[in-house]
Amino acid sequence: MGIRLGCIADDFTGATDLANNLVRAGMRVVQLIDVPRDGAEGPVDADAVVIALKSRTTPADDAVAASLRALDWLRSAGAEQIYFKYCSTFDSTRNGNIGPVTEALMDALGTDFTVATPAFPDNGRTVFKGHLFVGDVLLSESGMRHHPLTPMTDSNLVSVLGAQTARPVGLIDHTVVATGAEAIRERVDELRKEGVGAAIVDAVSNEDLVRLGAAVRELPLVTAGSGLAIGLPANWGFEPSPAAAQLPPPGGHQAIVSGSVSTATNGQVLEFLQSGRPAFSVDPLRIAAGEDVAGQALAFASSHLAEGPVLVYSTEAPDAVRNVQGRLGVAEAGELVEQTLARVAQGLVQLGVRQLVVAGGETSGAVVQALGLTGLRIGPQIDPGVPWCAAALPDGDTLHITLKSGNFGGPGFFTESFAHLDGETA
């Protein structure tokens, strides 16, 4: 049937988050790591393709260029609709990259209008009167206000997106969304006549996203977090099916690599430590001092892998993160940790790890690139927004890997994920 939906994600965990929701809705999904080089990826046997970029925090011009390359590949592969995926907390710098990428894609597709909603109610992300809530608090009052790279201090998404775009930004509020798809389409027509180029859409429930999905079936471009993905597959007649999420059975050792500084991941690390399982802490200051921290971590892991999951982490409270950034610089501290954890992941796979959990968007991007993975087959969901995936290693072995957004998952995620994989593939 060919590729129905072509997706461009601005980070690696967000890509698997999106792919997970499409699989749950019945689509067979392949996630590609960056844009394939000419001839590097033949015809793709999938209903949807997600291209994972590492463009959330890069300079806006670089993010636009990478996104347009992804668009060209997806259009050449026959994608009927394009989906630009960003984080459910609308992570961005003050000047982008959500706005600049959205406008560049609109220009390339020749469309004058698109929608924008990061809502994902299953993970507590809702939009009401244009304001983004994380759980029961506004985005600006959540832990995201302390994010080291993209601190989010404004919850008004009309204002946030409007500051990043030349086109006016409007709102499709909850009273319209609750009325149904036809009412949403009528509101879109009104906004278009007013010269609005993009509209933030309220969504406080999955039903809202399903209604929105039906309403935007004719738009060349949609932009959203992963939540809207539950409302799109039905436009092509897809229905939920367990077959869409089948993966081969797992084997090998188990490990976790965590570079996220989010509140959720801090809790997951704490739960793992309190359980008494083996864990190694990566200190950026020791890396900067020239110590072989990756080698130390791998030596530690090699003596414990036979016991069960091993955790290698660099996860700290906001005050500790700011202290390190103050001494090393924001970009330098992040780059040191990412590259060290990527080396650790390479070493873990060499030690026989074939079930790997990676926490944090930037960390996931560095790990996937270091491992030389070019594509992922999306499998069963562990927690909302987080699936297991299968990837072919260069030696032909299968690696089961999950790329977890720092904000996702419950306190026991690190250990429960392995039990879930065994149960789903048995």
Side-chain angles (χ1 to χ4, degrees):
M1 290 166 52
I3 298 172
R4 299 308 183 94
L5 187 64
C7 309
I8 303 166
D10 68 358
D11 84 340
F12 287 49
T13 57
T16 55
D17 173 13
L18 168 60
N20 173 65
N21 278 344
L22 294 173
V23 167
R24 289 172 61 214
M27 280 183 150
R28 297 170 305 127
V29 182
V30 167
Q31 177 177 326
L32 301 180
I33 309 305
D34 212 333
V35 183
R37 298 183 302 276
D38 290 343
E41 187 75 39
V44 177
D45 181 22
D47 306 309
V49 172
V50 181
I51 295 181
L53 303 177
K54 202 167 182 287
S55 59
R56 180 169 299 169
T57 57
T58 60
D61 288 347
D62 294 343
V64 166
S67 300
L68 290 175
R69 287 196 301 272
L71 174 64
D72 287 344
W73 190 93
L74 291 167
R75 294 176 78 183
S76 69
E80 299 175 14
Q81 186 176 49
I82 301 299
Y83 189 135
F84 170 41
K85 194 275 177 193
Y86 35 74
C87 187
S88 64
T89 46
F90 218 63
D91 288 25
S92 59
T93 63
R94 187 172 186 84
N95 298 317
N97 292 335
I98 295 173
V101 170
T102 296
E103 291 202 295
L105 294 174
M106 291 176 70
D107 289 342
L109 289 166
T111 184
D112 65 344
F113 186 87
T114 190
V115 294
T117 182
F120 189 5
D122 283 353
N123 263 329
R125 313 296 193 260
T126 54
V127 181
F128 182 73
K129 292 187 179 296
H131 289 72
L132 177 57
F133 286 79
V134 177
D136 294 328
V137 302
L138 287 165
L139 172 67
S140 56
E141 298 172 8
S142 74
M144 286 302 299
R145 69 187 185 277
H146 299 305
H147 194 285
L149 298 178
T150 53
M152 300 303 294
T153 58
D154 187 356
S155 305
N156 185 336
L157 301 188
V158 175
S159 171
V160 172
L161 186 59
Q164 300 179 14
T165 62
R167 293 171 170 86
V169 177
L171 173 66
I172 302 176
D173 74 15
H174 66 103
T175 60
V176 174
V177 176
T179 304
E182 184 57 35
I184 296 172
R185 283 191 286 266
E186 290 174 359
R187 177 59 176 155
V188 167
D189 290 341
E190 292 174 359
L191 291 171
R192 273 181 151 150
K193 291 175 182 177
E194 295 170 8
V196 169
I200 300 297
V201 185
D202 282 355
V204 298
S205 67
N206 284 353
E207 289 74 21
D208 287 341
L209 293 172
V210 171
R211 286 188 280 265
L212 176 59
V216 299
R217 63 185 304 166
E218 303 301 328
L219 291 184
L221 171 71
V222 296
T223 85
S226 66
L228 182 55
I230 68 174
L232 296 180
N235 291 340
W236 291 283
F238 291 100
E239 297 179 352
S241 168
Q246 288 182 344
L247 295 180
H253 295 310
Q254 302 168 334
I256 306 114
V257 174
S258 175
S260 170
V261 297
S262 74
T263 301
T265 303
N266 275 330
Q268 291 154 4
V269 169
L270 179 61
E271 193 277 343
F272 193 93
L273 296 176
Q274 291 177 339
S275 73
R277 295 180 174 89
F280 183 94
S281 176
V282 170
D283 183 348
L285 297 178
R286 287 168 52 201
I287 304 171
E291 293 187 40
D292 182 13
V293 176
Q296 296 166 11
L298 290 169
F300 174 86
S302 66
S303 64
H304 291 284
L305 282 171
E307 304 168 19
V310 173
L311 168 65
V312 178
Y313 68 100
S314 180
T315 300
E316 300 289 351
D319 287 345
V321 172
R322 283 192 290 270
N323 176 55
V324 171
Q325 291 176 336
R327 298 175 68 175
L328 300 179
V330 175
E332 291 80 2
E335 182 71 14
L336 282 175
V337 170
E338 284 176 32
Q339 295 309 312
T340 298
L341 292 178
R343 284 183 54 209
V344 169
Q346 283 180 306
L348 289 170
V349 170
Q350 291 169 1
L351 290 170
V353 168
R354 293 296 181 268
Q355 301 174 51
L356 182 63
V357 172
V358 186
E362 299 301 313
T363 303
S364 293
V367 165
V368 165
Q369 290 173 338
L371 292 176
L373 306 183
T374 59
L376 305 175
R377 175 66 67 175
I378 309 302
Q381 175 175 277
I382 305 168
D383 266 357
V386 192
W388 274 108
C389 308
L393 293 169
D395 64 4
D397 270 5
T398 296
L399 173 69
H400 287 78
I401 186 169
T402 184
L403 308 176
K404 186 193 81 71
S405 170
N407 297 306
F408 286 1
F413 179 89
F414 286 161
T415 51
E416 293 167 2
S417 56
F418 298 110
H420 185 88
L421 179 61
D422 286 335
E424 284 289 342
T425 57

